[in-house]
């Protein structure tokens, strides 16, 4: 049964006798954001139905979806929705979130992006940002007694964003930053030569660890570094380097990689809901798989927003701390062994095959 048919069936069954509370969901379900929004929606629905299946309550909240693709005035829509809805999940686009922040409605809003760290009476900001990985990753690096890091980057916007963010976070923790290196990667041969050039640099003997700011080249670069280095040093990268959609055999070249990412990806055995989601929808890529987890967590968070005290949730996207209009996400750190991510034990720093959340 498709999500749409299942959704319609659920609405019919749960609204026949009792008027339930209504949650409005604002997503750009068309255009260039269609795939991303669709996966967030599917994850949210998975979280919704899972919550219904484990709840003893006979009164289920209604979900009403609004496509914001062609909406020019999101504020007008939000104010209109506020008259009938008890809460809002969304919007997703930064410009839409900024509009809502400028004129907060009277009902709780869980915005699916982050604009600032300000406090709002009725708005919480939740994002799946790579910058949230820096703090736990740097903590892991320092636990492994790494003081001198060399960043390996590439000439693309994502790499530059990760490099800049890591540099700032590393320096703030008093880490030593060696001269960064930019890969030349127009072909396999050039990439190999570029890694050889990297390993011939004068400061290479000072390097205690690499931060790979170009996760799209993780498999090739890590394999080359491990092959050409006599004594390979630890390699760290963004979670994008670990593609859970690939087979364990295909991920063998990532062996030794350390990263901080989603429990949903690192410890999938913890989330029974994973299997239920995949019976209905298969994500096109690892990035979309992360959005499924993001959507499911958004539903879980939305059901707790009326709490007046700070609280935490063990989420699919990380340990979630909800306080003062923000949702802080702390990812789970792992090391790739035999092509599979093994979670680090948060108290000892060792890896374990047991879920650590």
């Amino acid at each position: 049964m498709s999500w749409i048919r299942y959704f319609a069936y659920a609405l019919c069954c749960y609204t026949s006798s009792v008027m339930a509370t209504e949650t409005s969901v604002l997503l750009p379900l068309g255009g260039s954001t269609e795939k991303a929004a669709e996966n967030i929606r599917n994850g949210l629905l998975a979280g919704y139905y899972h919550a219904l299946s484990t709840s003893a309550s006979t009164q289920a909240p209604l979900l009403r979806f609004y496509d914001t693709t062609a909406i020019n005035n999101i504020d007008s829509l939000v104010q209109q929705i506020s008259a009938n809805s008890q809460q809002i999940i969304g919007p997703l686009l930064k410009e839409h979130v900024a509009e809502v922040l400028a004129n907060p409605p009277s009902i709780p809003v869980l915005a699916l992006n982050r604009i600032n760290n300000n406090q709002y009476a009725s708005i919480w900001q939740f994002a799946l940002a790579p910058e949230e990985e820096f703090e736990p990753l740097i903590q892991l690096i320092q636990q492994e007694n790494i003081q001198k890091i060399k960043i390996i980057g590439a000439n693309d916007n994502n790499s530059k964003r990760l490099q800049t963010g890591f540099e700032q976070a590393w320096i703030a923790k008093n880490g030593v930053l060696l001269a960064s290196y930019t890969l030349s990667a127009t072909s396999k041969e050039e990439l190999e030569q570029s890694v050889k050039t990297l390993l011939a640099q004068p400061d290479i003997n000072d390097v205690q660890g690499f931060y790979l700011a170009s996760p799209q080249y993780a498999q090739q670069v890590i394999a080359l570094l491990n092959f050409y280095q006599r004594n390979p040093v630890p390699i760290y990268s963004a979670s994008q380097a670990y593609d859970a959609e690939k087979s364990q055999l295909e991920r063998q070249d990532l062996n030794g990689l350390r990263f901080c990412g989603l429990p949903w990806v690192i410890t999938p055995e913890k989330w029974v809901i994973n299997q239920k989601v995949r019976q209905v929808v298969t994500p096109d890529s690892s990035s979309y798989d992360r959005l499924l987890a993001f959507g499911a967590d958004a539903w879980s968070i939305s059901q707790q927003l009326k709490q007046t005290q700070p609280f935490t949730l063990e989420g699919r996207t990380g340990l979630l701390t909800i306080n003062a209009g923000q949702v802080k996400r702390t990812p789970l750190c792992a090391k790739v062994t035999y092509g599979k991510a093994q979670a680090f034990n948060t108290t000892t720093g060792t890896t374990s095959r047991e879920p650590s959340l």
Side-chain angles (χ1 to χ4, degrees):
M1 182 181 292
S2 71
W3 282 124
I4 296 175
R5 290 172 60 196
Y6 191 13
F7 178 45
Y9 174 78
L11 287 183
C12 171
C13 293
Y14 282 103
T15 60
S16 57
S17 57
V18 181
M19 179 58 69
T21 60
E22 180 174 300
T23 294
S24 297
V25 184
L26 280 58
L27 290 170
L29 294 166
S32 61
T33 57
E34 179 179 359
K35 274 290 184 182
E38 183 180 275
N39 280 273
I40 294 172
R41 180 196 64 189
N42 288 340
L44 193 148
L45 287 171
Y48 172 78
Y49 293 125
H50 179 69
L52 290 186
S53 69
T54 57
S55 174
S57 174
T58 58
Q59 184 174 354
L62 301 178
L63 285 179
R64 189 182 299 276
F65 286 84
Y66 293 84
D67 183 2
T68 61
T69 305
I71 298 295
N72 294 321
N73 188 345
I74 198 75
D75 179 60
S76 177
L77 175 62
V78 167
Q79 298 304 325
Q80 178 183 345
I81 289 172
S82 300
N84 300 312
S85 189
Q86 277 67 51
Q87 67 175 355
I88 295 173
I89 300 175
L92 175 65
L93 302 181
K94 279 200 169 187
E95 56 268 30
H96 285 169
V97 174
E99 286 185 48
V100 176
L101 294 179
N103 186 24
S106 57
I107 63 173
V109 175
L110 178 63
L112 300 180
N113 217 320
R114 181 174 290 108
I115 302 298
N116 54 45
N117 293 318
N118 297 339
Q119 297 182 21
Y120 298 88
S122 62
I123 301 176
W124 288 259
Q125 299 176 68
F126 177 40
L128 199 60
E131 287 81 4
E132 292 171 309
E133 299 174 2
F134 295 143
E135 183 177 339
L137 185 62
I138 288 173
Q139 183 178 358
L140 171 63
I141 294 172
Q142 294 183 331
Q143 284 177 348
E144 296 190 324
N145 296 317
I146 304 297
Q147 297 174 336
K148 298 178 181 179
I149 285 283
K150 192 176 191 67
I151 298 176
I152 304 173
N155 284 315
D156 62 84
N157 291 334
N158 184 56
S159 179
K160 292 175 181 177
R161 175 185 178 183
L162 291 173
Q163 178 170 337
T164 299
F166 182 84
E167 285 177 349
Q168 294 172 349
W170 179 245
I171 292 172
K173 294 295 183 179
N174 300 315
V176 178
L177 201 60
L178 301 176
S180 60
Y181 182 81
T182 302
L183 293 166
S184 298
T186 56
S187 69
K188 180 180 178 180
E189 291 73 21
E190 286 191 7
L191 183 60
E192 183 173 1
Q193 184 55 52
S194 187
V195 170
K196 288 181 179 179
T197 302
L198 163 66
L199 296 177
Q201 290 197 313
D203 65 352
I204 197 63
N205 291 329
D206 295 328
V207 176
Q208 297 176 328
F210 290 111
Y211 176 74
L212 185 60
S214 49
Q216 69 272 30
Y217 298 123
Q219 281 192 279
Q220 303 97 308
V221 170
I222 293 172
L224 289 168
L225 286 173
N226 288 337
F227 181 77
Y228 285 112
Q229 283 183 291
R230 180 173 299 178
N231 297 303
V233 300
I235 302 169
Y236 307 86
S237 188
S239 61
Q240 299 164 8
Y242 184 81
D243 190 345
E245 297 307 302
K246 291 184 177 180
S247 69
Q248 190 169 341
L249 180 61
E250 289 177 298
R251 295 193 300 262
Q252 290 284 348
D253 286 337
L254 294 177
N255 286 344
L257 171 69
R258 283 89 154 161
F259 70 97
C260 298
L262 277 61
W264 172 271
V265 173
I266 296 170
T267 56
E269 64 276 4
K270 179 180 175 65
W271 306 100
V272 178
I273 193 175
N274 274 27
Q275 308 308 320
K276 294 181 179 179
V277 170
R278 291 183 179 282
Q279 291 174 5
V280 182
V281 58
T282 300
D284 295 336
S285 69
S286 188
S287 295
Y288 288 137
D289 190 34
R290 288 165 167 79
L291 292 177
L292 286 171
F294 180 59
D297 273 359
W299 175 255
S300 298
I301 295 167
S302 73
Q303 299 308 289
Q304 306 293 329
L305 294 183
K306 291 184 179 179
Q307 292 196 34
T308 57
Q309 298 297 320
F311 63 96
T312 60
L313 292 174
E314 291 187 358
R316 302 157 184 85
T317 59
L319 183 64
L320 305 172
T321 303
I322 296 88
N323 182 32
Q326 298 291 338
V327 181
K328 180 182 179 182
R329 183 176 67 90
T330 302
L332 179 65
C333 295
K335 177 181 177 181
V336 181
T337 305
Y338 300 113
K340 187 179 186 302
Q342 303 293 336
F344 278 97
N345 185 306
T346 54
T347 56
T348 66
T350 59
T351 57
S352 170
R353 291 187 180 273
E354 296 300 321
S356 62
L357 278 185

